[in-house]
Amino acid sequence: MPSDTALLVIDVQESFRHRPYFREDDVAAFIERQQALIDGAQSRGIPVVRIFHVEEEGVFSEASGFVTTLAPLRIAPAVTFRKRRHSALVGSGLDVWLTEHGIRRIIISGIRTEQCCETTTRHASDLGYTVDYVGEATLTFPMTDATGREWSAAEIRARTELVLADRFARIATVEEALGAGLGKVA
């Protein structure tokens, strides 16, 4: 029986390693959780959708050679889309694919927590999808606000989960997202 759920792996690409704000601090934990989510989805027949962000120039351009999966993540996606906007649902063809495949529930993961992952979550919710946001399978980097305060990646993730929870998505662990509607998680 085909799944009505899809896992979105958003912007998990080498391009980020070439940005000045990139830090390795949380990468190993992110890769472990992202890999567990991908492997769990595949073992349950949930299609894994890889999405790359692309731009005309720079490290997000196809010509850069960095629009590839962030190492050492292993992924064999059902389909790959390229996007030019923050929401993976704008201009990529993803929305058409989801509709054609009867997808009604989306699991969100990827890079950056507060940008493309959060934006896609809000957009998907507004379109009527049921959304599980798996914060532990998202990655971001510290940011400095207009007052000069640096927000840690953990603070940004907590803020993102706060504003999404019960409004746009269910905040879920890897295990919770994989178990929803699918019976007991092994």
Side-chain angles (χ1 to χ4, degrees):
M1 181 170 146
S3 176
D4 71 343
T5 300
L7 167 61
L8 304 188
V9 179
I10 301 171
D11 302 350
V12 181
Q13 61 196 78
E14 284 294 325
S15 306
F16 283 104
R17 286 194 199 275
H18 303 277
R19 289 289 207 204
Y21 53 74
F22 184 84
R23 294 188 190 172
E24 286 285 341
D25 304 8
D26 300 321
V27 173
F30 161 71
I31 292 290
E32 188 277 323
R33 296 283 65 207
Q34 181 71 83
Q35 193 69 64
L37 189 57
I38 291 167
D39 294 347
Q42 289 176 325
S43 73
R44 288 163 175 78
I46 297 170
V48 177
V49 179
R50 178 174 56 190
I51 299 153
F52 286 133
H53 185 83
V54 296
E55 297 174 357
E56 290 300 317
E57 298 177 356
V59 297
F60 284 87
S61 72
E62 298 278 3
S64 73
F66 300 130
V67 181
T68 60
T69 301
L70 186 72
L73 194 72
R74 297 174 321 281
I75 184 171
V79 63
T80 299
F81 292 96
R82 285 165 169 69
K83 67 178 185 58
R84 295 181 176 276
R85 300 284 184 249
H86 290 99
S87 173
L89 292 159
V90 175
S92 66
L94 173 61
D95 55 338
V96 173
W97 186 90
L98 294 170
T99 300
E100 287 176 348
H101 288 83
I103 303 299
R104 297 305 316 141
R105 179 175 165 261
I106 297 172
I107 303 170
I108 301 283
S109 66
I111 305 174
R112 293 182 65 176
T113 304
E114 78 292 349
Q115 290 185 36
C116 297
C117 295
E118 181 178 336
T119 303
T120 301
T121 298
R122 289 173 182 267
H123 192 170
S125 174
D126 282 352
L127 290 174
Y129 290 96
T130 299
V131 183
D132 276 353
Y133 185 89
V134 185
E136 66 182 358
T138 68
L139 178 68
T140 197
F141 312 98
M143 296 174 70
T144 303
D145 69 19
T147 69
R149 177 180 181 251
E150 182 176 277
W151 293 68
S152 71
E155 289 172 318
I156 293 167
R157 181 174 143 198
R159 175 249 164 234
T160 298
E161 291 178 0
L162 170 68
V163 299
L164 293 178
D166 302 324
R167 293 172 191 87
F168 299 96
R170 175 179 79 137
I171 306 305
T173 64
V174 167
E175 291 75 19
E176 290 166 345
L178 292 173
L182 300 169
K184 194 175 187 177
V185 177

